[in-house]
Amino acid sequence: MTRRLLLTSSSGAGHVMPLMPIAQAALDAGWSVLFAAPAESAGPVEAGGVPFQSLHNEVPGDDPRRGQVYGQLAAVPKAEQGFFFSREIFGRLNTTGLLTAAREVVRAWRPDVIVSDAGECAGGLAAEEAGIGWVRVHPGLSGSDGDGGLAAGVAELRAELGLPADGDGFLRRAPRIAYMPASLDAGHKAASVLRLRDPRYVPPPQRAPDGPVFVTLGTEAAGMPFFHDLMQGCIDGVEQAGRRCIAVVGRHADPATFRRATGSSVTSWVDQGAELRRASATICHGGSGSVLAALGCAVPMIIIPLFADQPANADALASARAALVVDPGPRPREPGDASPPRQLDPQLPARLVQCLGDLYGTEPAGLAALHAELAAHAAPTAALDLLVTAPTGASVQGPTP
């Protein structure tokens, strides 16, 4: 009998794309596959040949509750920001927004197993309610998703569904798939995580030393007030270093509003793998998708971490001597913050010039080792055996949505 795989994700390329190799492996093996996520995720999923169904999001990106959380984040001690962000955004708001739609898809499509990005809990709650297996895919470090914060954020939703209160037990019981090299996952048992490689990211036979610098600050930051100045500072730094720049600004920013020299380009979207294969270096925010792509293509990195998983990724890569890290300066203003705008460090371009000089002078010593570790990971087909044996949750009759 044909197995039925449902994949669920929140929006954002960093959440969607790590699920795609698994979806494509299942399709190639003859499984029935459906990818369910907010409507803005349809493009890359359908372009990859995977059937897509839109999940109605009851808490969309412009919901004022999200702005309130970002406004509160600045007052949270740095050591507690990961827990706070995971609880409020991923655990509470994202799950509240997608839960009704996820339950409807599960009831209508009747999958055998659900695979979700690790910060997406609506699919997990729907799987537990239906008594089917759930597998989590970590876009980044397998222990940096803030399971305690997620569990706290969904606690009330679990009670509403009639599911038992078990802290983060339902998160810990779910099998894990990750892409990051195990050596970066300090304190987490590599044996408990199936580590895959993403076939989209492979290095070129020979890297051109005069190739452009690829600049990306991710899909989330592009909608925030500080984005334009920060991206412009990155472009200026690359050009002041005498290098060509390829900058990607996403759908929330207008490429025409950025200064750039002849030979450089600013665009809304590119094939990240293709650009990294011809790049000589990359400047990125440290988001897990960008980091994995750079490691897979063996491209030297400068990381400017902003929020969420980015500081943890930057710290891990700096400790592994695989990247240079630059602080963007005074904390950028988040949505909902009514205080006067704070300027980014005016010396950012000059600091990037220095870092690029260092990067081209001596490639980070740990980059080659991490690339080799990543290349030795299992192919995506290895995930299919895990999906077949994923433990199921006890079916509970919850309230009708």
Side-chain angles (χ1 to χ4, degrees), residues 115-198:
V115 172
S116 306
D117 84 76
E120 198 290 288
C121 291
L125 294 181
E128 187 174 353
E129 180 186 29
I132 59 177
W134 182 46
V135 175
R136 304 172 69 200
V137 177
H138 295 262
L141 302 177
S142 67
S144 67
D145 56 276
D147 279 1
L150 286 174
V154 303
E156 292 181 5
L157 294 171
R158 289 184 62 83
E160 291 174 9
L161 294 177
L163 299 173
D166 68 346
D168 64 355
F170 78 107
L171 300 172
R172 289 186 288 102
R173 285 191 297 271
R176 299 181 177 212
I177 294 173
Y179 291 90
M180 282 286 191
S183 62
L184 292 179
D185 260 346
H188 301 281
K189 295 181 180 179
S192 67
V193 180
L194 173 62
R195 297 190 185 272
L196 303 181
R197 64 176 182 270
D198 190 328

Side-chain angles (χ1 to χ4, degrees), residues 69-70 72-73 76 80-89:
V69 171
Y70 282 111
Q72 295 165 359
L73 186 62
V76 177
E80 300 172 15
Q81 286 179 1
F83 180 94
F84 177 84
F85 195 89
S86 292
R87 182 188 67 200
E88 298 300 323
I89 295 294

Side-chain angles (χ1 to χ4, degrees), residues 173-383:
R173 285 191 297 271
R176 299 181 177 212
I177 294 173
Y179 291 90
M180 282 286 191
S183 62
L184 292 179
D185 260 346
H188 301 281
K189 295 181 180 179
S192 67
V193 180
L194 173 62
R195 297 190 185 272
L196 303 181
R197 64 176 182 270
D198 190 328
R200 294 174 299 158
Y201 302 127
V202 294
Q206 186 173 359
R207 188 167 305 285
D210 60 347
V213 177
F214 180 66
V215 181
T216 174
L217 297 175
T219 55
E220 298 297 323
M224 297 179 180
F226 62 83
F227 175 79
H228 190 282
D229 289 345
L230 180 56
M231 177 59 80
Q232 188 65 65
C234 292
I235 295 169
D236 292 345
V238 171
E239 294 180 343
Q240 289 172 21
R243 296 280 174 169
R244 292 179 294 122
C245 176
I246 298 175
V248 184
V249 299
R251 66 184 184 275
H252 295 296
D254 181 359
T257 63
F258 295 87
R259 298 185 311 273
R260 67 273 208 180
T262 301
S264 293
S265 65
V266 181
T267 184
S268 296
W269 194 262
V270 296
D271 181 331
Q272 183 170 242
E275 295 301 335
L276 285 170
R277 281 191 290 274
R278 69 188 188 96
S280 58
T282 181
I283 297 172
C284 69
H285 58 313
S288 297
S290 296
V291 165
L292 281 168
L295 288 177
C297 295
V299 181
M301 278 177 278
I302 297 172
I303 299 177
I304 304 176
L306 301 173
F307 49 76
D309 61 341
Q310 299 156 26
N313 289 341
D315 289 347
L317 288 161
S319 296
R321 300 176 64 199
L324 301 181
V325 179
V326 173
D327 189 326
R331 183 179 180 82
R333 194 168 55 140
E334 306 283 3
D337 185 349
S339 63
R342 284 165 280 182
Q343 297 299 313
L344 298 171
D345 184 356
Q347 296 302 311
L348 178 62
R351 292 163 64 200
L352 290 174
V353 170
Q354 178 64 51
C355 284
L356 285 167
D358 294 342
L359 210 61
Y360 288 116
T362 304
E363 182 176 290
L367 177 60
L370 286 180
H371 168 72
E373 189 177 349
L374 197 65
H377 286 180
T381 52

